[in-house]
Amino acid sequence: MQALILAGGEGTRLRPLTSTVPKPVVPLVDRPFIAFMLDWLHGHGVDDVVMSCGFMASGVRNVLGDGSGYGIRLRYVEEPTPLGTGGALKFAEPLLDERFLMLNGDVLTDLDLTAQLAQHERTGARGTLALIAVDDPSAYGLVRCADGGRVREFLEKPSPDQIDTNLVNAGAYVLERGVLELIAPGRAVSIERELFPLLVGDGLFGYTADGYWLDIGTPERYLQATFDILDGDVRSSVVDALDASRLSIGSGATIDGRVVGPAFVGPGATIAAGATVAGRCVIGRGVEIGAGAHIDRSVILDGAKIGPRSTVIESIVGPGARIGAHCRIGERVVLGEGVVLGDDNQLAAGARLFPNVSLPDGAIRF
Ligand code: GDD
Ligand code: MG
């Protein structure tokens, strides 16, 4: 089975994490984010993936290579300019099979693609969209269905008065290659705003999925995804690797402080005496947590250093960042790669520092 993954968005809402790496390869727990998607696809019989890249395509290719590490043949197509979700599909046409899956590349899910494919076959659909229930459909594509799953209406980013169902487009489609005839080549096209409305009443079906589903496009949802992976709310190999205390401790890690599970501590990390790591944390490879520091509900990415007696709460610290002593970071702070923060700084309430920003001692009380 073949899958086309759309991975060409700029990931602006995840900056500064996506300032230095493209969204598909932003690290999530122990691997590039998109690896969760590749494992999930592989589990449903996908062995051929076309990755539709725009922004920083070489960054994706450098990390994922030819897919052999995932048991998948992985090829890349690169649009010269962003063509939108439908334009990117049309652009990949020469590589596509008669029937294929298409996925939004920023979704963490374990929904049952095998059942979706079975429904697609049974109904003889031209396109079958996975639908998922959410509390607030306004940021998604709202899908109204009739009995039997036929789509009656597709409304991208509905206004409040248009919301009369909580079922939205999960960004996982089964498509017949024939639908590509409806897309004009060489221009930007939105599959949601242009192609799906054309297919309403003409072979477009919804498959109501259950299971875990999250669009990881914002720092809040990135942290939520981290917690849910550690809790095992989404099926993945991470949770299988946790020990009886729900910890995964990498080789060569030194833990003199206290780590409360579930937590993931990467190889070579050090957690000094008197430090605590709790509330579901990821401590990356080679990270140093200083004496008496307190890390709660946070992700500290590879090679970062947290100084003695500093506190990090519900925040993300980018790779190689250096936080001095006695700082307070949180909640919902995101520090980019290589940020340097002197001693006695305080950052709060959604502050974001871009890569390599450097602040001296006592520079900020926010
Ligand atoms: N190759 C390529 N080219 N990929 C693109 C482009 C492009 O021009 N534009 C967006 N993408 C990719 C993004 O990287 C992402 O993986 C996917 O297409 C969807 O784009 P988003 O920008 O994340 O859209 P959204 O989250 O606002 O809405 C979409 O996803 C929702 C589910 O998360 C829509 O499909 C909604 O209908 C859906 O509910
Ligand atoms: Mg999205």
Side-chain angles (χ1 to χ4, degrees):
M1 190 70 206
Q2 185 183 55
L4 169 70
I5 300 180
L6 288 192
E10 286 186 39
T12 44
R13 289 166 296 182
L14 259 188
R15 282 183 192 152
L17 292 180
T18 46
S19 304
T20 42
V21 284
K23 184 159 71 168
V25 296
V26 165
L28 184 63
V29 189
D30 61 343
R31 59 193 83 172
F33 162 66
I34 202 86
F36 286 98
M37 180 167 273
L38 295 178
D39 287 345
W40 166 63
L41 290 171
H42 191 241
H44 288 283
V46 171
D47 53 6
D48 181 18
V49 168
V50 177
M51 190 75 75
S52 168
C53 301
F55 188 64
M56 293 202 267
S58 58
V60 182
R61 192 183 281 122
N62 289 345
V63 175
L64 300 178
D66 65 0
S68 47
Y70 303 94
I72 282 174
R73 174 190 191 196
L74 191 51
R75 289 174 290 173
Y76 300 85
V77 283
E78 223 173 296
E79 306 142 61
T81 54
L83 290 173
T85 48
L89 166 62
K90 185 71 177 174
F91 191 73
E93 187 170 16
L95 298 184
L96 296 175
D97 292 347
E98 277 311 308
R99 176 178 297 160
F100 56 93
L101 296 161
M102 176 168 166
L103 293 315
N104 284 351
D106 58 352
V107 168
L108 177 69
T109 180
D110 56 14
L111 70 84
D112 190 350
L113 284 175
T114 304
Q116 184 179 349
L117 275 158
Q119 180 191 306
H120 181 84
E121 197 130 307
R122 204 166 53 240
T123 57
R126 300 172 81 193
T128 302
L129 320 178
L131 310 179
I132 202 94
V134 295
D135 291 339
D136 177 11
S138 59
Y140 305 103
L142 182 113
V143 184
R144 298 193 180 118
C145 282
D147 291 344
R150 270 176 212 285
V151 174
R152 283 194 296 120
E153 202 163 13
F154 189 106
L155 275 173
E156 184 65 15
K157 310 285 188 294
S159 57
D161 57 302
Q162 292 176 312
I163 297 173
D164 57 0
T165 168
N166 60 353
L167 284 182
V168 302
N169 169 25
Y173 323 127
V174 186
L175 295 176
E176 296 297 310
R177 197 169 193 266
V179 303
L180 278 108
E181 284 163 22
L182 299 169
I183 307 174
R187 70 170 178 93
V189 176
S190 157
I191 197 171
E192 296 88 350
R193 293 177 197 276
E194 296 176 63
L195 181 66
F196 291 154
L198 277 180
L199 285 171
V200 167
D202 196 12
L204 191 65
F205 283 73
Y207 159 76
T208 307
D210 47 24
Y212 183 90
W213 183 87
L214 189 72
D215 176 326
I216 68 142
T218 66
E220 290 75 19
R221 297 208 215 111
Y222 172 91
L223 280 178
Q224 191 61 50
T226 304
F227 303 154
D228 294 340
I229 290 167
L230 290 174
D231 281 337
D233 289 343
V234 52
R235 246 169 275 147
S236 81
S237 58
V238 170
V239 94
D240 303 334
L242 299 182
D243 66 16
S245 318
R246 296 200 296 157
L247 296 177
S248 169
I249 310 289
S251 62
T254 311
I255 300 183
D256 295 319
R258 195 165 73 96
V259 181
V260 181
F264 180 92
V265 178
T270 56
I271 297 171
T276 9
V277 170
R280 297 175 296 192
C281 286
V282 170
I283 307 296
R285 177 183 291 267
V287 163
E288 293 175 25
I289 308 288
H294 184 67
I295 317 294
D296 193 30
R297 309 191 298 281
S298 294
V299 175
I300 316 293
L301 291 166
D302 291 359
K305 289 187 182 173
I306 311 294
R309 298 180 315 288
S310 282
T311 304
V312 182
I313 298 174
E314 223 174 286
S315 293
I316 307 165
V317 177
R322 280 154 196 270
I323 312 301
H326 207 246
C327 290
R328 191 187 185 287
I329 315 277
E331 289 89 3
R332 298 183 320 284
V333 173
V334 189
L335 304 183
E337 180 164 356
V339 160
V340 178
L341 212 55
D343 299 344
D344 297 304
N345 281 295
Q346 296 185 0
L347 288 169
R352 299 187 187 195
L353 294 190
F354 279 74
N356 303 316
V357 162
S358 175
L359 292 176
D361 292 350
I364 191 160
R365 292 277 156 103
F366 182 79

